[in-house]
Amino acid sequence: MKLKTALASATILAACMFGSAQAADLTVGFSQIGSESGWRAAETTLTKQQAESRGIDLKFADAQQKQENQIKALRSFIAQGVDAILVAPVVATGWDDVLTEAKDAEIPVILLDRTVDSSEDLYMTAVTSDLVHEGNVAGKWLVDAVAGKPCNVVELQGTTGSSPAIDRKKGFEEALAGHDNLKIIRSQTGDFTRTKGKEVMESFLKAEDGGKNICALYAHNDDMAVGAIQAIKEAGLKPGTDILVVSIDAVPDIFQAMAAGEANATVELTPNMAGPAFDALAAFKKDGTLPPKWIQTESKLYTQKDDPMKVYEEKKGLGY
Amino acid sequence: MNALKPHLIRLAPQFAVLVAVVLLISLAFPDFLKLQIQNGRVYGSLVDVLNRGAPVALLAIGMTIVIATRGIDLSVGAVMAICGAVAAASITSGHSLVYTLALALAVGLLCGLWNGILVAVLDIQPIIATLVLMVAGRGIAQLITEGAILTFNDPGLIFIGSGSFLGLPMPVVIWLVFGIAVTLLVRRTALGMLIEALGINRRASTLSGVSTGVLLVAAYVLSGLCAAIAGIIAAADIKGADANNAGLWLELDAILAVVVGGNSLLGGRFSIAAALLGALIIQSINTGILLSGFPPEFNLIIKAAIIVLILVIQSPRIRDLAALFGRSESAEATVKQEAK
Amino acid sequence: MPGNILGSEDIILSATGIDKVFPGAKALNKVNFQLGRGEVHALLGENGAGKSTLVKCITGAYRRDGGRLVLDGVDIDPRDTFEAQRLGIGTVYQEVNLLPNLTVAENLFLGRQPRRFGLVDARAMNRRAETLLAGYDLDIDVKAELSSCSVAVQQVVAIARAVDLSGKVLILDEPTASLDAHEVEMLFAVVRRLKTQGLGIVFITHFLEQVYAICDRITVLRNGQLVGTREAAALPRRELIAMMLGRELGDEIKTVAKAETEEGPVRYRFSGYGRRGHIAPFDLEVRKGEVVGIAGLLGSGRTETAEILFGAEKADSGSAEIEGKPVELTSPRAAIRHRLGFCPEDRKVDGIVGDLSVRENIALALQARRGWARPIPRAEQERLADQYIKALDIRTTDREKPIRLLSGGNQQKAILARWLATNPEFLILDEPTRGIDVGAHAEIIRLIENLCEQGMSLIVISSELDELVAYSHRVIVLRDRTHVSELVGEAVTTAHIVEAIAAGEKQGASR
């Protein structure tokens, strides 16, 4: 074991010295924001899994929501001479210095999940989802699902003023544009939480003739949808049948609801940001191919036909 | 009847405000007052107000007592999150419902005991003492849930959040029963008077032989218990413990409920019933805003405007003015009577 | 009148027939006070005698309700302290009311800094500050922060500012309370210098030796009344104390037959009882039906004695016995369990629970002893309240009225009622007659005598010596937080008490 480690570090050392290496021998530093949500925990789990399956030695640092911790972690990665750095930046500004240091040390940096306000040449690429596109996918599904029949939609927004709330609303509205049979009749914030999602849905139901006037619910995240589903059931209606439910994120609990026929569709915000990042890195290390500045992750649509229980089982262990 | 009269006079302003708010909403939204029986339970916006107001109402019960002692408890929102997390963690690891509830309530009592000792024994200012748990508590809750929403499917626990009893949602039954129980506890014993004496003049009370230290600790323990019940209800309502969001900022709503209920932040005379009316006023405004269909950007502004209005109406200056008008009116009335 | 020895042209400030009424109490009753040019005039009296009320009426902090105020031959009626300052009356308090984070010079010229081009001319200000302080023999860095100076220097700076602002009358309110002997000398040097400049100086203090060290004349107030104004040199210390504490020397009232109780068994025995920093260890015995009076000047440890007996402050030495059995009186609760009661001196802070009704205030101690789980039924509370409102003649429109709305005397009676309701065997009364009107005064004294006849043991602290002599079987005299003397039976006279206090004072002065 000791011998193996020694050999491995010798190889890494050699790789550094000769400036060429294979993906299998890479050491990558990963500075994660923290574990403020289930999605974030899943991202961490998946990044570790991805690194392991590719034989990458992943050095993980949890910043506990603090930029100073992230900058410290990045400097320590640079000092250790890693082959690449993954960072999920907690804020958008204040990265210029440390990114320049990484660039001077010729260590490529890949941003995960969020972007920064620094010049594009300071990092190799950013792997993020497209929030507007997510809303768009959800909207398109609903357009197809109602197939031209008139449908009143109620919307549970995210926290007022947050970028996911703004962009997911925008994308959804773009998808609905030109389909006059679909109308958003009520839109209110549910703060991305189950409690508020449930409370606001209750008020929608009361305001719209006990829910008889509502044909579909669009929630900016699954948690609000889960809360709203309970409200619909308590009002004596059948979620998924009487009121269609479409939401975004694809957290495990929504698959349970889909399996029970209570939710209809969800758009995945994949926690697997590291996969595409490692692919790009491997390509770069192999023959110097530079990836595009923005790698958009797939916003995959899941419906009740996609064996939701199986997906649930897969996702359950990821730490959501 | 005579004994009731002062209580009714005390509650009159809050009752009037509640009626005014409800009428205002029903003008904009006539179905607000509609009640119907559905699946054996009463269904309607008014029931929603009672049901959604449950956490703040419960917190307001404990907060009223703490504020009466001239203190404040900022930690109740975080204690809600802790107790919800404890309940969820316990039930998902296979413990019985009774064990789970006992454990969550015990944790709430313990949190209250911690606050009480900081305030009564170490003599730390209440706002600072309870700030400690307010900040740390949510972190503790996150440790318990490991950052995720800890969901559960135990029908017994879920019943507490969304079941019904005699046609009323369980949370409503719980806060009504608990509110009445605490009111009886403080008013049928001497606790109420001793707490008021402590809040008005702690030193004079001590010199008169009142166990002020014990009473202070008890007040915070009660507040912790209220937060625990509210936390269990909040978790049971969504079948999961959300450490990040459960009870977030509710300590401020609870303080507001106590104040809207006409209780002084300087301690002393208190009324639990008035604080509960205050909680209902706040929840009516919340529900009314949701029903109104205004864009969500206006929610907080509308809420703030209505609350400022209520507080202005209750302010001592305005009350003095009103009393002045009232007196001149009654004086006129006497003059008229004499003229007859 | 002994006060009118000065010719009218020598008088700088003359207050005649000053009245001041507070709700429920007459704080000043036709008080006359005359201050000469170049005179240091002591204003003396116990707490609540009316010294500070008189000063506040003169400085405009209070509006007087009657009487004339003449400064330098002109009638004045200052609306606030600023106006009084402009007119020529400056005041310096015990707690220096300057700004510690500003420099000495800034403090001297705050609000009237010399200006140049609309900006503060710091150089001119510092120069003028140095000149001003040189007149006080004070050679300090005027650019230093005031907080870096000693309290004595701060006092002098405050005096310099007040004199520079006002220049006719200077009122010093307890200026020496936090100074050591050397600093006091320094301050007195300043006072003597100002005196030669023709200023009239009012000096309030409770250190009698300082009064004799610097004052020309002495005015004594008691219960809002003028007792008299005397030449300091012609007023023996004994007589001064008598003026402050009793009415007239030799005016002895003895009403209670006291002989028999001295033979009775000791019910309460405290031995070596004390607490460091509060009261030196003392021995005290109290018999059934006995009144023990405690006398002494302000700050002599009277209240400290009461608090330690009642357990409001824990004793750190000695032991307590009730009827031969050792007891622990470590908290008011414990003391109440052993049937003690305590009416504190500061009614507002330690006694009443302001927002609660008269009924609740009366029931409070009894309820506390019964415990929260055994509430006194409402009807019983009302009966209790009505009984004591009638028995003690508490004047209130309604037993449900908040007690803070009652006058001082009636509040005092309600607090007494609170303790009587607990049926105590040992009652400690700290200044039971302070700040209450004459009628209530007499009633409370009668009550003390009645309670004692019923077999209750009492400790009464009072600065009204004639009162104390009237009802006490024994009197303990305190000085410097030590029990110095105990007078028994026939020896209990105001003369003896005054002598005991004065003996101590002389000792204190000679140290």
Side-chain angles (χ1 to χ4, degrees), chain A residues 51-131:
Chain A
E52 205 180 321
S53 71
R54 288 157 205 252
I56 293 172
D57 180 16
L58 189 76
K59 296 188 179 301
F60 178 75
D62 183 334
Q64 301 183 333
Q65 316 293 328
K66 286 198 180 114
Q67 187 183 26
E68 60 198 78
N69 290 347
Q70 290 203 297
I71 291 175
K72 252 185 243 163
L74 257 57
R75 294 222 160 101
S76 124
F77 291 151
I78 295 167
Q80 292 170 39
V82 296
D83 299 294
I85 294 171
L86 304 186
V87 54
V90 63
V91 292
T93 53
W95 295 100
D96 291 4
D97 288 351
V98 73
L99 288 182
T100 310
E101 287 165 33
K103 190 182 161 74
D104 291 348
E106 291 179 3
I107 298 172
V109 174
I110 302 176
L111 308 177
L112 293 190
D113 169 41
R114 301 184 188 184
T115 57
V116 298
D117 285 345
S118 302
S119 153
E120 281 198 348
D121 59 323
L122 288 179
Y123 57 88
M124 188 164 82
T125 182
V127 183
T128 72
S129 72
D130 182 346
L131 294 165

Side-chain angles (χ1 to χ4, degrees), chain A residues 191-205:
Chain A
D191 277 340
F192 285 131
T193 69
R194 289 189 187 194
T195 311
K196 286 284 283 181
K198 188 174 180 186
E199 177 177 0
V200 175
M201 191 66 207
E202 279 175 1
S203 77
F204 285 169
L205 292 166

Side-chain angles (χ1 to χ4, degrees), chain C residues 475-496:
Chain C
V475 170
I476 313 274
V477 179
L478 300 188
R479 181 185 59 73
D480 285 345
R481 297 171 186 270
T482 312
H483 289 216
V484 290
S485 171
E486 181 170 338
L487 308 169
V488 186
E490 292 304 314
V492 178
T493 63
T494 47
H496 285 132

Side-chain angles (χ1 to χ4, degrees), chain B residues 101-158:
Chain B
L101 293 181
L103 186 68
L105 295 179
V107 168
L109 291 172
L110 206 66
C111 291
L113 189 66
W114 161 264
N115 284 331
I117 287 174
L118 288 189
V119 172
V121 181
L122 301 183
D123 231 356
I124 299 174
Q125 284 180 4
I127 198 166
I128 307 292
T130 56
L131 195 62
V132 174
L133 200 52
M134 177 189 179
V135 175
R138 212 157 279 284
I140 296 169
Q142 280 165 352
L143 279 180
I144 298 169
T145 63
E146 291 164 350
I149 296 177
L150 197 54
T151 52
F152 49 82
N153 284 305
D154 181 83
L157 190 53
I158 291 169

